[in-house]
Amino acid sequence: MDRQPVLVATKGPLEGARFPVGSEGITIGRDPDCVVVLDDANVSRFHARLVFHNAAIWVQDAGSRNGVFLNEKRVVRHKQFGPGDELVVGDHAFTLELDPLQQDPSLTGAPVPRPTEPSQGSRLVWVGVVVALTAVAMWVALR
């Protein structure tokens, strides 16, 4: 049986809330556009994100002022996040659980894509981003 990762709030005002982690990942912060909105002065507008990469979920600090902590250690670049780990953002704590994978009703019966299998389109986007960043770095270096 396939299982879907779910971010579960274990401490703070959202305690008990569950946020399915889709293939697009999750954003965490004070901004209303974030998937997980935290009303906390110690949390940046866009504080952290969870992303899928190499068949795993990774936590990234999105440039927050007060940091993101995974298992009591500050996340400097990115850290792999798995079931049983504790993620702390401001005064909020989260863990990762695996729930049976369910279909999204908006897909009208189409199977839900597995988060560990990125689409060809998303691979092309990442290749484009890498090429663009390389070109900019080379341009800056030659100036």
Side-chain angles (χ1 to χ4, degrees), residues 14-140:
L14 296 179
E15 186 172 342
R18 302 173 68 82
F19 304 91
V21 182
S23 59
E24 68 284 348
I26 282 185
T27 51
I28 302 170
R30 280 193 343 258
D31 194 277
D33 288 336
C34 290
V35 173
V36 180
V37 179
L38 303 177
D39 186 18
D40 182 337
N42 293 317
V43 174
S44 299
R45 286 182 43 235
F46 293 98
H47 199 98
R49 66 179 68 91
L50 301 182
V51 296
F52 280 106
H53 182 69
N54 288 340
I57 297 178
W58 298 82
V59 176
Q60 295 177 332
D61 187 322
S64 69
R65 183 181 71 236
N66 293 322
V68 177
F69 297 84
L70 187 62
N71 299 327
E72 299 181 2
K73 294 183 181 172
R74 189 169 185 153
V75 174
V76 178
R77 293 189 183 133
H78 57 272
K79 291 279 187 187
Q80 191 169 348
F81 184 34
D85 289 341
E86 182 185 53
L87 175 68
V88 175
V89 177
D91 292 330
H92 308 267
F94 302 89
T95 191
L96 192 66
E97 293 181 4
L98 298 176
D99 282 354
L101 189 60
Q102 298 179 9
Q103 291 186 351
D104 183 343
S106 68
L107 296 176
T108 62
V112 176
R114 296 184 63 149
T116 57
E117 299 172 2
S119 68
Q120 183 66 25
S122 66
R123 286 187 197 120
L124 290 175
V125 168
W126 280 109
V127 168
V129 168
V130 170
V131 168
L133 290 174
T134 303
V136 168
M138 290 175 62
W139 180 78
V140 168

